[in-house]
Amino acid sequence: MGSYDSSLVSLLIEVAKRCHEAQVIRGAEGDGLTFDENDLAADPDIEVTAWPDTINQVTLTFRNRDKQRQEDSVAWHDRAAFAIQGATKTESIQRPWITRQDPAWQVAAAWCQQRALPRITGRISLKAASAGSLAPGDTFSLSSASNSLSGLLCRVEEVSRRSPESVEVDVRFLEDRGYLNGVAYSPAADDPVEPETYSPQQIAGARLFETPYGFQPEEHTHFQLLVARGDTVTGRVHSWNEVAPDSYEFYRSTRTFCLMATLNGALSKSGPAVDEDGGLLLTITSPDKTPYDATFAEAMAGRSVLFLGTEVFLVWGPTLVSGNQYAFSYVRAAYACEKEDHADGATGFLIFPSASRPYLTCEWGRVALPGESLKWKFQAELLGVTTDLAGAGVYEITSTARAYLPLAPINLTVNGDGHCPTYAGGESVVVDWDMASPLRNLHPVEEDCPSTFADATKLQILDVATETVQWEATFPTTGNATISNATILAALGSESDFIIRAWNQRAGLNSINATQIKVTKV
């Protein structure tokens, strides 16, 4: 029989009995077999591990479902065992099938409590009549006065007979620590397993941008459908055109998405046309946040474009300033459009088209008259699932016929002279002009396009020597504008010869050519 500390065994038995009385072990009190000296063929052989063989900390590694099943760990400490041992003695266990933290804590606690106490093991020889059908895994209570054992709860590890005729049965056992596996509360039920679903989001925003003649040099009106998707995974967007009140017809789909951005700081039309030092600050507001890092050459080729107001910018070299704010270098008034004023906070659309990601362009089908409008809806699609078209926002565009550049003014006269006009000192000048033919026929059979597409006439004063613009202003297309002598002095610095140049305009765009005449000071 092995040696052991009988007082330690008594302590362990008392702990087990108290837990047994609390019915935290399996079965009600009194269940199972009970063996004492009357059932034993010999004294039990008992072994007890020492305190140095115990541990006081268990670290359990598991797969945490709340962290996409990444590897996670919990640790349980037994303070009583630490107080006895005076140092941390740890053990690590792997339980990859555990996916929630609560069960991980419970297993770690039970394991640490098991390993924090010395373990009682041993062998006994039982009379065959008492052993009955005892099998590995069964539990029994063992009492032995010679070993100071009283009601020690044991679990069978092995049952053997020396021979089939033997009247004794050898049993190897260990102390049953099932009472340490007790759970003070029932763990919460697992969340129902639901397959992950993906659904597209409504678009973040859209813009219908009527392009100038330089963008799409054709006589028909075109506009770009600029769409910012509502998430970063939407695969494509379908466009629908209203053909009757609240009735929409499918037009085309696109995989080319824009970035929505707000302007940080106002831009004046009198500002520089080119800035190579990152003077354009934009904050990206759409779910797609990263602009294409275009070079100057790519921007000039139309690979990085900003649509802001009715103006087109070519932008390149985005530099992250803070958050989602970027600084861009730029060229303004691209594609023959005019510079305009832009307020702080104005919304623009950045697009980075390519051969595989072209513009979503719509052709009006003819020369659209000013004031005509179209309504559109956009439907996002992801993995074959589309958003509800009825819930999509309506985006409307009203044509200004900006792609149809008006003819230049004709019959330009200054002070009634259309050949060699003059003016005297202190004299103002009266400029007059006529419009071109009332019709500009593009499709003789189908339609006529009135020259009244011009909505303003721009007059400029140019220096004779350099032909640089010194002054300009817009007037109604009806003609007969007076330029005061004070204006001439302010523009030229003195009363001298100058050039009057006249443009017709439509939606802020100049006519393809201009009419001009020299005015001589006499």
Side-chain angles (χ1 to χ4, degrees):
M1 182 174 70
S3 60
Y4 57 88
D5 185 345
S6 60
S7 63
L8 175 60
V9 173
S10 299
L11 172 64
L12 296 175
I13 292 174
E14 183 64 23
V15 171
K17 289 178 69 178
R18 289 181 180 275
C19 292
H20 192 293
E21 291 168 0
Q23 296 188 11
V24 296
I25 59 175
R26 302 172 188 84
E29 185 178 2
D31 287 356
L33 299 172
T34 300
F35 300 130
D36 55 21
E37 283 87 349
N38 296 325
D39 304 296
L40 301 176
D43 286 340
D45 184 8
I46 304 295
E47 294 183 359
V48 182
T49 58
W51 284 108
D53 298 324
T54 63
I55 59 100
N56 52 52
Q57 176 177 298
V58 167
T59 301
L60 183 144
T61 302
F62 67 104
R63 299 281 183 176
N64 196 335
R65 69 174 64 183
D66 294 331
K67 298 180 180 179
Q68 288 75 49
R69 287 179 168 75
Q70 294 181 3
E71 199 170 82
D72 201 356
S73 64
V74 295
W76 186 270
H77 308 269
D78 191 295
R79 296 182 179 180
F82 178 81
I84 294 173
Q85 296 167 343
T88 300
K89 300 187 68 177
T90 186
E91 181 178 358
S92 298
I93 57 176
Q94 304 284 331
R95 297 294 184 267
W97 56 87
I98 296 177
T99 62
R100 292 191 298 139
Q101 193 175 57
D102 280 354
W105 280 114
Q106 294 164 17
V107 172
W111 189 269
C112 187
Q113 291 168 1
Q114 295 268 5
R115 300 283 284 116
L117 290 173
R119 172 73 71 175
I120 300 176
T121 59
R123 304 183 72 93
I124 57 174
S125 292
L126 291 173
K127 298 173 183 179
S130 299
S133 59
L134 193 67
D138 291 344
T139 60
F140 63 89
S141 295
L142 176 63
S143 298
S144 173
S146 61
N147 289 276
S148 301
L149 300 179
S150 177
L152 175 65
L153 185 65
C154 304
R155 182 168 295 279
V156 177
E157 287 192 303
E158 180 183 349
V159 178
S160 62
R161 290 176 182 265
R162 297 170 188 172
S163 68
E165 297 81 12
S166 176
V167 295
E168 297 179 359
V169 177
D170 293 332
V171 177
R172 181 163 58 87
F173 67 89
L174 54 81
E175 179 191 6
D176 184 39
R177 293 277 177 82
Y179 61 87
L180 296 175
N181 294 332
V183 179
Y185 63 94
S186 299
D190 286 342
D191 296 331
V193 178
E194 296 182 1
E196 295 184 1
T197 58
Y198 300 89
S199 59
Q201 303 297 312
Q202 295 285 4
I203 63 170
R207 171 80 189 279
L208 310 178
F209 187 91
E210 186 178 1
T211 53
Y213 182 83
F215 194 98
Q216 197 92 21
E218 299 178 9
E219 71 267 17
H220 285 177
T221 300
H222 294 77
F223 54 93
Q224 305 302 327
L225 306 177
L226 308 173
V227 182
R229 56 185 176 176
D231 51 47
T232 58
V233 293
T234 292
R236 60 179 176 173
V237 170
H238 310 296
S239 60
W240 298 76
N241 175 32
E242 187 183 55
V243 293
D246 295 325
S247 178
Y248 288 81
E249 180 180 70
F250 173 74
Y251 175 63
R252 275 169 52 190
S253 301
T254 182
R255 297 180 185 272
T256 306
F257 305 114
C258 298
L259 273 61
M260 287 179 65
T262 56
L263 179 64
N264 302 133
L267 278 180
S268 172
K269 64 182 179 182
S270 61
V274 180
D275 187 325
E276 301 182 57
D277 300 319
L280 179 64
L281 293 180
L282 298 173
T283 297
I284 309 300
T285 58
S286 57
D288 289 308
K289 299 293 186 185
T290 307
Y292 174 61
D293 188 11
T295 63
F296 172 77
E298 287 176 315
M300 295 304 101
R303 290 288 311 280
S304 181
V305 182
L306 168 67
F307 294 90
L308 186 63
T310 61
E311 187 176 355
V312 184
F313 292 67
L314 303 179
V315 296
W316 69 93
T319 302
L320 182 62
V321 177
S322 64
N324 297 311
Q325 186 185 66
Y326 289 84
F328 292 84
S329 300
Y330 62 86
V331 170
R332 297 188 62 175
Y335 302 110
C337 65
E338 293 287 314
K339 290 194 296 180
E340 63 180 31
D341 293 323
H342 302 283
D344 179 32
T347 299
F349 283 76
L350 282 162
I351 189 169
F352 313 103
S354 64
S356 60
R357 302 278 181 175
Y359 282 105
L360 178 57
T361 302
C362 178
E363 180 181 341
W364 210 290
R366 54 180 173 75
V367 178
L369 298 175
E372 288 191 64
S373 62
L374 291 177
K375 292 181 179 180
W376 291 78
K377 283 189 174 185
F378 298 95
Q379 185 181 41
E381 178 187 329
L382 174 63
L383 300 177
V385 180
T386 58
T387 54
D388 181 12
L389 186 62
V394 178
Y395 296 86
E396 185 172 4
I397 181 171
T398 300
S399 174
T400 60
R402 67 182 304 192
Y404 182 82
L405 300 183
L407 298 178
I410 60 174
N411 302 330
L412 183 63
T413 64
V414 176
N415 292 336
D417 190 341
H419 298 282
C420 299
T422 61
Y423 77 105
E427 182 184 4
S428 299
V429 297
V430 177
V431 183
D432 200 1
W433 63 91
D434 293 323
M435 302 301 291
S437 169
L439 296 178
R440 180 181 181 182
N441 197 320
L442 296 176
H443 301 280
V445 177
E446 299 178 5
E447 57 193 315
D448 292 325
C449 300
S451 62
T452 52
F453 270 19
D455 55 23
T457 299
K458 180 164 68 175
L459 298 182
Q460 297 175 328
I461 294 179
L462 284 72
D463 181 87
V464 172
T466 62
E467 290 200 10
T468 55
V469 177
Q470 305 300 315
W471 170 89
E472 65 181 17
T474 56
F475 298 90
T477 58
T478 54
N480 197 7
T482 299
I483 303 176
S484 68
N485 187 262
T487 299
I488 297 172
L489 282 172
L492 301 174
S494 64
E495 292 183 316
S496 59
D497 298 350
F498 61 90
I499 296 172
I500 285 287
R501 179 177 293 170
W503 305 82
N504 273 333
Q505 289 189 320
R506 177 68 217 165
L509 300 179
N510 291 337
S511 50
I512 296 178
N513 55 359
T515 303
Q516 65 182 44
I517 191 171
K518 180 181 177 181
V519 183
T520 304
K521 167 65 171 59
V522 294

